């Protein structure tokens, strides 16, 4: 089975840049999506097709994907960005989620 | 406004069955794939099943294959998940999620609020 690996936690100071990685075999050959989930809420789509943002998603969220790793970058991190973040890709007719990364803004 | 509303969750005994439903509104339902994703208490997201817009492609996670069945009604704008032979490890919030295309190959751009399924004796 295909696995996506994320760091369990990332910390960032307000106003700084946070980077969350997602690694998987030949991940650069697949499209990656990223989701944000605040406590007690449903996930929302932040990034699709590696780097595209749905309407309504702030420009401070950006994505990249190359080789064996994809990255979600949050520029000018705000307190409201404190949440869990998940990457997702498809492999052999199976959707796979990473284990999630808890972003702490402190 | 694009919206998904799940229903049908509840408490069921191990080995029992349950059907959860998802009603869609605010978008052209027949044009998009639909998906179920679950989240066990305190855990991450786990994809469960997907169905393409015309039901041509249906996919399941290995953990539910043979026990769960996804279906859709393009007249009622609804998607369903029939869950049989339920196990304690199926306890989770079940989310309905809209695919970003007709085939289940992309991201999930709209999510419902979820419905809780508890499998316990």
């Amino acid at each position: 089975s295909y696995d996506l690996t994320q760091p369990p936690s990332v910390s960032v100071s307000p106003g700084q840049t946070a980077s969350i990685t997602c690694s998987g075999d030949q991940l650069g050959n697949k499209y990656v999506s990223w989701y944000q989930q605040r406590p007690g809420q449903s996930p929302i789509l932040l990034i699709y097709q590696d780097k595209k943002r749905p309407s309504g998603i702030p420009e401070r969220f950006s994505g990249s994907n190359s080789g064996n790793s994809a990255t979600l970058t949050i520029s000018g991190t705000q307190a409201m960005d404190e949440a869990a973040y998940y990457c997702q890709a498809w492999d052999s007719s199976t959707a796979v989620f990473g284990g999630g990364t808890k972003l702490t803004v402190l | 406004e694009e919206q998904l509303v799940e229903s049908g969750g509840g408490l069921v005994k191990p080995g029992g069955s349950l059907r959860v439903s998802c009603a869609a509104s605010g978008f052209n339902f027949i044009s998009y794939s639909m998906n179920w994703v679950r989240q066990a208490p305190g855990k991450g997201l786990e994809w469960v099943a997907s169905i393409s817009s015309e039901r041509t492609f249906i996919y399941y996670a290995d953990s539910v294959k043979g026990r769960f069945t996804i279906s859709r009604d393009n007249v009622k704008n609804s998607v369903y998940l029939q869950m049989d032979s339920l196990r304690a490890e199926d306890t989770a919030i079940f989310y309905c999620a809209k695919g970003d295309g007709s085939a289940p190959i992309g991201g999930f751009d709209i999510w419902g609020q979820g419905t809780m399924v508890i499998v316990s004796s």
Side-chain angles (χ1 to χ4, degrees), chain B residues 14-117:
Chain B
S17 298
L18 196 65
R19 187 177 91 151
V20 291
S21 303
C22 170
S25 60
F27 63 94
N28 188 18
F29 182 78
I30 197 171
S31 296
Y32 295 95
S33 61
M34 295 299 296
N35 311 271
W36 288 97
V37 177
R38 68 183 179 183
Q39 187 169 37
K43 303 297 185 182
L45 302 175
E46 180 190 14
W47 170 76
V48 174
S50 298
I51 184 168
S52 62
S53 60
E54 301 281 355
R55 309 181 193 85
T56 307
F57 304 105
I58 294 177
Y59 306 137
Y60 297 98
D62 286 344
S63 58
V64 307
K65 200 172 295 183
R67 300 189 299 124
F68 289 11
T69 303
I70 187 172
S71 61
R72 64 187 292 161
D73 186 329
N74 287 343
V75 173
K76 294 183 177 180
N77 288 356
S78 294
V79 61
Y80 310 97
L81 187 67
Q82 174 67 41
M83 301 181 286
D84 300 319
S85 302
L86 282 161
R87 307 166 180 165
E89 54 264 36
D90 294 318
T91 294
I93 297 172
F94 281 74
Y95 294 103
C96 172
K98 170 184 167 289
D100 61 10
S102 60
I105 58 172
F108 308 137
D109 58 4
I110 303 296
W111 294 66
Q113 85 287 352
T115 187
M116 186 72 202
V117 173

Side-chain angles (χ1 to χ4, degrees), chain A residues 1 31 33 35 37 40-45 48-49 54 86 88 90 93-99, chain B residues 35 37 39 43-47 50 59-61 95 100 104-109 111-114:
Chain A
S1 62
Y31 275 140
S33 299
Y35 305 87
Q37 187 180 32
Q41 296 187 17
S42 302
I44 63 170
L45 178 66
Y48 66 101
Q49 292 182 15
Y86 297 89
Q88 175 257 318
W90 284 86
S93 304
T94 298
V96 181
F97 284 95
Chain B
N35 311 271
V37 177
Q39 187 169 37
K43 303 297 185 182
L45 302 175
E46 180 190 14
W47 170 76
S50 298
Y59 306 137
Y60 297 98
Y95 294 103
D100 61 10
I105 58 172
F108 308 137
D109 58 4
W111 294 66
Q113 85 287 352

